[in-house]
Amino acid sequence: DNGASAQKPRQVIDAITRAYEGEYANVHRGLHALSEEATEAYEGARKRIGRFVNARSFREVIFTRNATEAINLVAYSWGSANIRAGDEIIVTDMEHHSNFVPWQLLAQRTGATLRFIPVTDDGLLDLDVYDSLLGPRTRIVAFTGMSNVLGTITPAREIIARAHAAGAKALVDASQLIPHLGADVRTLDADFMAFTGHKMLGPTGIGVLWARRELLEEMPPFLGGGDMIREVYHESSRWNDLPWKFEAGTPSIAEGIGLGVAVDYLTTVGLDKIHVHEQNVTQYALERLGAIKGLTLYGPPAAQRGGVVSFNVDNIHPHDLATLLDQRGIAIRAGHHCAQPLTERLGVGSTARASFYLYTLREE
């Protein structure tokens, strides 16, 4: 069940322990040595994460609690300032609810219209329909880089280029993409990208919004409070510089440091090697599962997906299947996987999902 959350390497666990046992203090606030050390470790992690996604500046890296908060930040801050009644927001039928519901709420608040890119029978996005959806009222296209249900790797660069050609912005939910293939924001030419720490060997409670600096400069704050301000008066306030303008309150300090170490770990192992390994494991899983009578597989071939395999077995509910496998020490997920529009498209209420990572073996 690595698609839900990944296990943590010793290096990450040790880094979090050190942060609490020997380096802990609040960041950005104290003039004493301990606070300065904690601040240096925390901000150093931000810079390494920025390099990991090839950001132009560490100021484009905003720490959030998770990808869900990062997407909500864009929908509330950028969306409230730029979306009006009659505008159009495009999402896909492949999205996790985290990249679906915030845009529903934005459309309800503003009177905008949601448009949906459908999924083909082989588990890919229908880009011909996408072209027909783009128009002069399209303001933003929000899509996943890799499906958490089908494992489909979407043509992110192409989707973004078509959005830009129509004058729209593009947001990539990279929660599944980043851990397995990585993502270069300059190569993708994205406007916004969200991802979460716990799926990429890091701790829970920490996520990232990357966005173009010029967009962040224009956007109003998402949350108000300490650390996101420069000056506060009775009737008004002046905001802090980026990235802290969007980081109100005491942050997840140890978690941020832990995510920086997770990024180091992934870089050392090599994302290209991780992807090749996962494709081999996924191909093997598809072959073995495909040989089982009465088993239905969903999604594209291994070459077009990450380490995710969703399936159903005739006359066995996915919840029962997950319970039976759990009794043998095998952890899979069963349900709609926080992607109900997609499972409805597949014509099922739920599926069983096995999801792999760099430490998954063929023998397993």
Side-chain angles (χ1 to χ4, degrees), residues 16-81:
I16 295 171
T17 301
R18 283 196 307 273
Y20 279 122
E21 287 186 346
E23 303 172 356
Y24 184 76
N26 213 328
V27 295
H28 305 149
R29 292 162 171 80
L31 297 178
H32 53 82
L34 204 55
S35 178
E36 291 179 353
E37 290 173 8
T39 299
E40 183 177 355
Y42 180 73
E43 292 299 335
R46 187 196 307 274
K47 291 175 181 177
R48 299 203 302 281
I49 293 165
R51 289 193 292 270
F52 184 67
V53 299
N54 200 22
R56 293 171 181 81
S57 168
F58 74 92
R59 295 183 183 277
E60 297 180 327
V61 178
I62 310 298
F63 280 133
T64 60
R65 288 183 304 148
N66 42 47
T68 301
E69 184 175 279
I71 295 167
N72 274 276
L73 191 163
V74 177
Y76 273 88
S77 180
W78 181 88
S80 297

Side-chain angles (χ1 to χ4, degrees), residues 1-2 4 309 311 318-323 325-326 329-335 337 351-356:
D1 194 22
N2 297 285
V309 176
F311 58 95
H319 291 174
D320 296 330
L321 182 60
T323 300
L325 290 174
D326 181 51
I330 300 169
I332 67 167
R333 186 169 176 182
H337 315 296
T351 67
R353 183 190 74 181
S355 47
F356 317 126

Side-chain angles (χ1 to χ4, degrees), residues 69-84 87-91 102-103 106-107 109-110 112 114 137-142 163-164 167-171 191-193 209-223 245-246:
E69 184 175 279
I71 295 167
N72 274 276
L73 191 163
V74 177
Y76 273 88
S77 180
W78 181 88
S80 297
N82 291 277
I83 301 295
R84 300 289 181 267
D87 288 343
E88 296 177 353
I89 302 163
I90 295 178
V91 297
W103 306 111
L106 176 60
R109 289 198 310 271
T110 61
L114 278 175
R137 299 307 300 267
T138 306
R139 295 292 175 261
I140 190 166
V141 179
H164 288 169
K169 299 292 187 288
L171 178 144
D191 300 294
F192 305 98
M193 186 170 72
L209 169 67
W210 170 88
R212 294 181 185 272
R213 183 171 180 174
E214 59 269 25
L215 295 174
L216 292 171
E217 294 283 7
E218 295 172 355
M219 289 162 53
F222 178 47
L223 298 172
K245 168 185 171 184
F246 292 101

